[in-house]
Amino acid sequence: MALLKVKFNQKKRVKLAQGLWLMNWFSVFAGILVFSMGLFLKIELRKRSEVMDNSESHFVPNSLILMGILSCAFNGFAGKICYDSLDPAKFARWKPLLKPYLALCFFFNILIFFVALICFLMRGSLDSTLAQGLKNGMKFYRDTDTPGRCFMKKTIDMLQIEFKCCGNNGFKDWFEIQWISNRYLDFSSKEVKDRIKSNVDGRYLVDGVPFSCCNPSSPRPCIQYQVTNNSAHYSYDYQTEELNLWRRGCREALLHYYSSMMSSMGAVVLLVWLFEMSVMVGLRLLHTSLESITNPEDPECESEGWILENSLKDTFKSALENLKKLGKFNQVEADAEGAGGEEGGKTPAITTVS
């Protein structure tokens, strides 16, 4: 028994073809939207590529860009088929291509669904990428005179100001690295010498943070040095001064920014996938309804359209049997080639009589 069998007359076939033509052009615009989202996400990721450890995060925008291009191509082609299906003479030239095209559409829709899932599942990979990238970027913060790293200070400062964050996981991350360049240290000062000597790696570590960690909404001037020393400042307790420095780490801030963006894009791609599935089902019904016309000379006659010619179970069994036959056919060919090789390798024995 055919799956989702529907009866059509000429009026219904014409309406279906016209509706599918319109839907395909809507799908082209949806493909442009997916392409634009991928391009926007790629630009946003490239803006902060200096604080990302690898390029794995670009898999999502690259996939969106590819899906957008393929969607425009597939739906533009399907729109042409639907338009020509109104004329039997024009439809005849597309008839041999429809089955392969529908098979490609099926795999294309699987890819769209996969890309939508990836948009939701990339959070873990993005988290590790940002954690390591920010850690490396903070190490290079002081290298303002080193070629290739001189821009890192500006990048980190702008990042902390824009996203209202401080450090990797929090402001205390700055206590563990030397973020002040040696050119701004007075090595004749006893305090500087003592701090460097007290550190195993000979680094100048302070309980201070860059100015970009300061919260401009704080009711008091920003305390960015001796942050954990309560006695160094009047009426100060660093554990309760919530408005003095940004408490949120930049990894959390960036992760929330990008993951929420990817989740929104994933929801849009899922809607596009549902729309593409409905277009594919409609195209299949149009294809079978036109093929099942008993009298091609009478365009007004009734016909039947279906999604699958047999039930889902029978179709699955048939596909498995075809795969088994294909496997056996390849095995027979391989055995025949092996036997031919053995016969060819045998050389007749020659005896000589002296």
Side-chain angles (χ1 to χ4, degrees):
M1 183 179 178
L3 180 66
L4 197 64
K5 184 182 285 188
V6 183
K7 286 189 176 182
F8 289 92
N9 54 29
Q10 186 189 21
K11 189 177 179 180
K12 285 185 177 180
R13 287 193 295 268
V14 169
K15 283 186 176 180
L16 178 61
Q18 291 174 340
L20 283 173
W21 178 83
L22 189 62
M23 288 175 70
N24 274 295
W25 285 110
F26 274 122
S27 295
V28 170
F29 290 117
I32 294 172
L33 175 63
V34 172
F35 175 84
S36 302
M37 289 192 307
L39 194 61
F40 174 75
L41 181 58
K42 194 172 185 68
I43 292 170
E44 285 296 303
L45 288 170
R46 281 196 177 276
K47 280 182 183 178
R48 298 167 188 95
S49 59
E50 297 89 355
V51 293
M52 293 185 177
D53 185 46
N54 53 50
S55 58
E56 287 180 8
S57 53
H58 287 274
F59 178 74
V60 173
N62 290 341
S63 301
L64 290 173
I65 289 170
L66 178 62
M67 288 301 104
I69 294 171
L70 289 177
S71 178
C72 292
F74 272 93
N75 289 292
F77 183 71
K80 175 64 175 173
I81 292 174
C82 294
Y83 183 79
D84 286 350
S85 65
L86 299 173
D87 185 352
K90 290 182 178 179
F91 178 74
R93 64 182 179 183
W94 298 116
K95 205 171 180 181
L97 299 174
L98 272 173
K99 279 188 178 180
Y101 174 75
L102 285 168
L104 286 174
C105 284
F106 178 74
F107 288 111
F108 172 66
N109 282 311
I110 291 175
L111 286 176
I112 290 181
F113 184 73
F114 175 72
V115 170
L117 287 182
I118 290 295
C119 288
F120 294 107
L121 300 175
M122 277 296 288
R123 182 184 176 90
S125 175
L126 189 61
D127 189 9
S128 59
T129 295
L130 286 169
Q132 190 60 41
L134 283 165
K135 186 178 179 181
N136 294 334
M138 289 171 65
K139 286 179 182 178
F140 302 143
Y141 182 87
R142 63 172 181 166
D143 296 338
T144 52
D145 297 326
T146 306
R149 298 178 187 172
C150 55
F151 59 86
M152 191 56 73
K153 179 184 180 301
K154 180 182 176 182
T155 300
I156 297 292
D157 283 334
M158 293 302 295
L159 179 69
Q160 293 186 146
I161 292 170
E162 181 181 354
F163 286 91
K164 300 179 180 180
C165 59
C166 184
N168 192 344
N169 299 305
F171 68 90
K172 289 186 178 180
D173 292 335
W174 289 108
F175 301 172
E176 300 172 3
I177 63 170
Q178 180 182 339
W179 55 273
I180 301 175
S181 176
N182 287 336
R183 69 180 294 187
Y184 302 113
L185 295 176
D186 182 8
F187 287 95
S188 63
S189 170
K190 185 178 182 301
E191 182 190 351
V192 174
K193 288 179 180 179
D194 290 343
R195 282 190 178 275
I196 292 175
K197 286 179 181 179
S198 64
N199 185 263
V200 177
D201 299 326
R203 294 178 297 171
Y204 181 76
L205 303 182
V206 293
D207 58 340
V209 297
F211 78 97
S212 53
C213 284
C214 296
N215 184 348
S217 301
S218 175
R220 68 184 297 164
C222 182
I223 296 174
Q224 64 181 110
Y225 293 105
Q226 298 186 9
V227 176
T228 57
N229 187 0
N230 293 335
S231 60
H233 313 282
Y234 177 73
S235 183
Y236 175 74
D237 184 357
Y238 82 94
Q239 292 181 336
T240 59
E241 289 283 341
E242 294 291 339
L243 296 177
N244 200 273
L245 299 175
W246 300 120
R247 294 279 175 164
R248 187 169 65 160
C250 290
R251 178 184 61 83
E252 181 188 346
L254 283 172
L255 184 63
H256 175 73
Y257 175 71
Y258 283 119
S259 59
S260 60
M261 188 187 297
M262 287 183 183
S263 296
S264 301
M265 290 180 178
V268 173
V269 175
L270 273 179
L271 291 175
V272 172
W273 172 73
L274 290 172
F275 197 74
E276 292 282 356
M277 286 293 292
S278 62
V279 170
M280 185 181 72
V281 169
L283 191 61
R284 174 63 175 167
L285 287 172
L286 180 64
H287 167 224
T288 51
S289 66
L290 289 170
E291 274 199 334
S292 62
I293 293 176
T294 53
N295 186 9
E297 295 179 357
D298 181 17
E300 296 185 2
C301 68
E302 290 189 349
S303 63
E304 291 182 341
W306 56 82
I307 304 300
L308 295 175
E309 194 169 357
N310 301 312
S311 66
L312 193 63
K313 185 178 179 182
D314 293 338
T315 303
F316 184 69
K317 283 183 179 180
S318 176
L320 281 179
E321 287 176 3
N322 289 333
L323 286 174
K324 286 179 182 178
K325 287 178 182 178
L326 184 63
K328 287 179 181 179
F329 179 73
N330 290 336
Q331 188 177 358
V332 168
E333 280 192 343
D335 291 342
E337 288 178 1
E342 288 178 3
E343 288 179 3
K346 292 180 181 179
T347 55
I350 301 174
T351 56
T352 57
V353 181
S354 57

